Amino acid sequence: MTLFILNLLPFALSFFLGIFFITLLDNEKKISSSLKILLSAGLGLGLSSYITFLSFLLFNEFNRLFILTIHLILLIFFIKNSAISNIKIFGIKEMIKKLNIKHLILFFIFIVFLIPTIYTISLYPNGGWDAWAVWNFKARTLFLGQNDWTNIFHPTLWRSSPHYPLFLPLLNVWGWIFSTTPTQNIPILVSILFTTLTLGLLFYSLRNRTPLFFNILLLLALSSSSLFYKFASSQYADIVIGFYLLASFYCLIQAKMKDNKTFALLSGIFLSILSFTKNEGLMASVIIGSLAIPYLLKQRSLNKKKILLSFFVGVFISCIPFIIFQFFYAPQNLTFINGFESLTKPSDFSRLKAIFMFYFFQLKTFSWNGFWIILLVGLILGKKKMFNAQTIIIPLFLILYGGILTLYYFLNTYFDILWWLSQTFHRIVFSLLPIIFYWLGTSLFWNKSQKEK
């Protein structure tokens, strides 16, 4: 029991850090209680990972006292400045009053949806290949390596992708703050936590926009796929990307719909956290940041420039850890060959053909339980609604992201293309599913979304 509490305590501190920070930002109380809890958890986990990274930057090692001290200082600061002593601001009193049988049923539904994840983890407690070869390996080196923690960037460890950002390993290290050994419980807990947050954010971001049966149908579609729970429980960074991608888009769309600077600031923060997760997260954040400029400016509002400024303030403040990592620590990508220049491994038509053939056969496979048929039916039913002014940024992002990804598969000829695709493509698709489903739900019920505004 004591070990269980010590495992949960760091993430409880992260949550309270996030909830008080968002309460401080959301002085107009524009964020509902359910969404505030989910976004706060993601924000708090991001802050904890950043603070842990700061320990390595300042002390060149994992300094527990410093990390805990900064957490407590920020916690006290946020509590004091958000006037959290007034319980109405936090929303606990209102949440208790609103509790009814429907909320209990929804809570039970979420528990049911988590059972496949927990079961899959029990079968593979050490995660997938990249869990112990990349993410957990780096976390253990950071935790145990003391002044030698920078060995994770050594060229001989190229199989561990030393150029990958450190968000997830740092978060695992934070989870071990009260432990003397890097137990496997923490990476498992992080996987379950982000799966819960992702499913919860998808459900509640659509809760007031779509019928309840549609929300449950989306969760059922996800829970019926063995691939979804395989990657959700793999202890990879892909589930982390999925959550922060959804959080970024949700807050960005809300910033435009509600003409709200708080949502814009949060979107910018989540976007920069996304860039610190993995190279795919970096690519996604650059695309979204570029699209956000015309997206936010194209609205009838006198505050659109202030909202855009708030968005980029969030981006700038939160991207500092990534910039430091990229310019001072990240080594060159050793698994890259430019196929346009290489004579021994050129990018040719057969490689491009193999990429598109792989896309076609994999997306129609029953492994995804017909997700793409559902999406196609949604596109047909939604017609113009799928490309409305509110959500147009999501399909634009998907087109650009898919195009750049395909170009990279074609350009980088270091790996055999079929092997590379078989190892990575499904994981990339998995991280995109939450925003694809969010786009589908919001667009199909566009008229209801307009009334809510």
Side-chain angles (χ1 to χ4, degrees):
M1 186 64 181
T2 303
L3 179 60
F4 179 72
I5 294 173
L6 291 177
N7 287 336
L8 288 179
L9 187 55
F11 303 113
L13 284 174
S14 299
F15 168 73
F16 285 115
L17 199 63
I19 195 75
F20 295 144
F21 186 22
I22 286 188
T23 301
L24 174 63
L25 297 175
D26 187 33
N27 50 20
E28 297 178 359
K29 292 186 279 187
K30 294 288 186 179
I31 308 176
S32 67
S33 298
S34 300
L35 285 166
K36 182 179 288 187
I37 289 172
L38 294 164
L39 294 174
S40 296
L43 181 60
L45 292 171
L47 289 173
S48 294
S49 181
Y50 282 179
I51 294 169
T52 305
F53 188 40
L54 185 60
S55 166
F56 287 95
L57 297 180
L58 296 180
F59 300 96
N60 199 36
E61 65 177 358
F62 176 48
N63 190 308
R64 299 169 192 264
L65 180 60
F66 170 81
I67 294 171
L68 288 171
T69 301
I70 296 299
H71 272 82
L72 292 176
I73 290 174
L74 288 177
L75 197 57
I76 293 170
F77 174 81
F78 292 150
I79 291 173
K80 181 179 178 181
N81 288 276
S82 62
I84 204 65
S85 56
N86 183 348
I87 198 167
K88 291 183 179 179
I89 294 179
F90 185 57
I92 293 178
K93 197 172 182 179
E94 288 79 0
M95 288 171 64
I96 293 174
K97 287 181 179 179
K98 293 178 181 179
L99 282 177
N100 53 39
I101 188 65
K102 184 170 70 175
H103 290 87
L104 295 176
I105 292 174
L106 292 178
F107 177 75
F108 175 76
I109 290 173
F110 274 116
I111 296 299
V112 171
F113 286 144
L114 286 175
I115 290 175
T117 302
I118 297 171
Y119 175 72
T120 306
I121 288 176
S122 69
L123 297 177
Y124 306 99
N126 293 314
W129 164 269
D130 277 1
W132 56 268
V134 180
W135 307 108
N136 295 347
F137 166 75
K138 290 183 179 181
R140 284 175 167 80
T141 304
L142 289 167
F143 184 81
L144 300 170
Q146 298 181 343
N147 293 337
D148 295 324
W149 68 274
T150 52
N151 285 342
I152 60 176
F153 305 123
H154 198 279
T156 57
L157 299 176
W158 64 269
R159 288 183 178 84
S160 297
S161 301
H163 60 286
Y164 277 2
L166 296 175
F167 178 86
L168 181 56
L170 289 166
L171 191 58
N172 286 333
V173 171
W174 162 241
W176 291 319
I177 192 78
F178 298 114
S179 176
T180 56
T181 57
T183 63
Q184 193 61 30
N185 296 340
I186 294 303
I188 290 174
L189 186 57
V190 169
S191 292
I192 295 174
L193 185 58
F194 273 102
T195 303
T196 306
L197 292 176
T198 304
L199 291 176
L201 185 57
L202 176 62
F203 182 87
Y204 282 103
S205 63
L206 294 172
R207 182 65 190 91
N208 294 324
R209 302 175 177 281
T210 62
L212 179 59
F213 81 88
F214 184 83
N215 287 13
I216 295 177
L217 182 64
L218 289 183
L219 294 186
L220 282 172
L222 286 174
S223 65
S224 64
S225 169
S226 59
L227 279 178
F228 178 85
Y229 284 105
K230 173 185 175 182
F231 295 127
S233 60
S234 64
Q235 302 170 33
Y236 294 171
D238 303 288
I239 186 63
V240 182
I241 293 175
F243 172 77
Y244 285 112
L245 196 57
L246 179 59
S248 301
F249 269 117
Y250 171 75
C251 290
L252 185 61
I253 291 171
Q254 291 299 300
K256 180 173 182 175
M257 283 185 62
K258 297 184 177 180
D259 202 21
N260 186 273
K261 292 186 291 184
T262 299
F263 275 115
L265 181 67
L266 287 173
S267 179
I269 292 173
F270 287 133
L271 200 63
S272 287
I273 294 175
L274 178 65
S275 71
F276 199 41
T277 56
K278 198 179 178 183
N279 287 2
E280 287 90 335
L282 171 61
M283 182 172 70
S285 63
V286 171
I287 295 172
I288 299 169
S290 302
L291 292 174
I293 299 174
Y295 176 76
L296 291 176
L297 287 177
K298 194 175 181 181
Q299 59 176 319
R300 296 177 182 178
S301 169
L302 297 175
N303 297 321
K304 57 186 178 182
K305 291 184 178 179
K306 292 182 179 179
I307 291 174
L308 186 62
L309 178 62
S310 297
F311 172 76
F312 279 106
V313 166
V315 169
F316 175 76
I317 293 173
S318 188
C319 77
I320 293 174
F322 170 76
I323 292 174
I324 294 173
F325 168 80
Q326 195 65 33
F327 283 94
F328 296 101
Y329 291 97
Q332 182 182 359
N333 184 358
L334 298 176
T335 57
F336 179 82
I337 293 177
N338 188 337
F340 290 162
E341 298 177 350
S342 176
L343 297 177
T344 57
K345 288 191 174 185
S347 297
D348 52 20
F349 179 74
S350 62
R351 187 178 183 87
L352 187 63
K353 180 182 177 181
I355 293 170
F356 283 106
M357 290 296 289
F358 187 91
Y359 287 173
F360 175 75
F361 285 107
Q362 290 301 312
L363 290 179
K364 74 170 189 172
T365 181
F366 286 104
S367 298
W368 287 112
N369 285 9
F371 283 169
W372 313 113
I373 297 175
I374 295 173
L375 178 60
L376 180 61
V377 172
L379 285 168
I380 295 172
L381 293 176
K383 298 178 182 177
K384 293 182 179 180
K385 289 181 180 181
M386 300 298 292
F387 303 95
N388 60 68
Q390 175 190 0
T391 60
I392 185 65
I393 190 171
I394 298 181
L396 288 177
F397 162 78
L398 291 172
I399 292 169
L400 290 172
Y401 188 82
I404 295 173
L405 179 68
T406 301
L407 177 62
Y408 187 69
Y409 275 135
F410 179 63
L411 175 65
N412 183 7
T413 57
Y414 184 90
F415 297 111
D416 174 77
I417 187 58
L418 292 179
W419 177 87
W420 192 17
L421 285 165
S422 67
Q423 296 299 311
T424 61
F425 181 67
H426 281 318
R427 289 157 56 178
I428 293 171
V429 171
F430 160 77
S431 66
L432 296 175
L433 282 178
I435 63 161
I436 291 174
F437 277 33
Y438 175 73
W439 171 43
L440 180 64
T442 304
S443 300
L444 284 178
F445 299 93
W446 164 248
N447 293 333
K448 186 173 181 179
S449 298
Q450 283 291 82
K451 289 178 182 178
E452 185 199 358
K453 180 181 177 181

